[in-house]
Amino acid sequence: LGTYQGVWHAGKLIAPQPPEVRDPQTLYALAQDRAGDWWASYLNHDLFRYRDGKWEHPYPSLPKLRVMSLLSDSLDRLWIGYQGNRIAVVEGGKPTLMGAEQGLNIGNVLRIYERGGNLWVAGESGAARYDGKRFVPLLTADGHELRGISGVVATDEGELWLHGHDGAYRIGADQ
């Protein structure tokens, strides 16, 4: 759980708020990777990593944009969703930026989700599935984009559920 005080796990404060974050700030995103490191994004600050009892900025080359979402996936990659239709993925310590050139067209990246070998991204202007090279947009049956998607969940049966401005969407496993 991320709070103004820092990162809590099982009812214990394990990482205080980073020292650069002087006043209580909104924690936008939080993720833990396979190594046990915590990644956090605070309002108006760069991406932080908590390792060996201290906060650091491990990738100064990353964009100075607001980090909106984080995911440590099953392949031990760190996905970083930014405002302004940008995503970075860190694999093997090397960050790669992605955006419109890879088919991304979702605006601020509000959610990154992985399940069953699929990676989904969602934002203010749409949602998409990452096929390993490009982002493939999700559209309604009548061809419209899904707007304001902030929640993504998949069931064991393969259904995909999305929460957006217009309510909940259910996409059957066969679709």
Side-chain angles (χ1 to χ4, degrees), residues 26-80:
T26 299
L27 181 69
Y28 263 77
L30 181 66
Q32 186 179 31
D33 64 23
R34 285 182 168 178
D37 295 344
W38 287 95
W39 297 84
S41 163
Y42 287 86
L43 179 65
N44 298 325
H45 289 276
D46 293 339
L47 179 66
F48 289 95
R49 175 174 61 190
Y50 189 74
R51 172 185 271 182
D52 298 327
K54 65 180 181 184
W55 289 103
E56 60 186 8
H57 299 285
Y59 301 109
S61 64
L62 287 174
K64 304 297 182 209
L65 300 171
R66 184 171 292 159
V67 175
M68 307 294 290
S69 54
L70 292 167
L71 172 75
S72 178
D73 73 9
S74 62
L75 299 175
D76 205 24
R77 298 175 295 191
L78 179 68
W79 292 85
I80 307 162

Side-chain angles (χ1 to χ4, degrees), residues 3 12-13 21 27 31 45 47 63 65 76 85 87 94 103 114 121 142 144 152-153 155 160-161:
T3 71
K12 178 182 171 191
L13 181 66
V21 181
L27 181 69
H45 289 276
L47 179 66
L65 300 171
D76 205 24
N85 200 50
I87 288 179
K94 180 183 175 206
E114 179 194 34
V121 296
D142 58 2
H144 289 91
V152 180
V153 170
T155 67
L160 187 67
W161 287 83

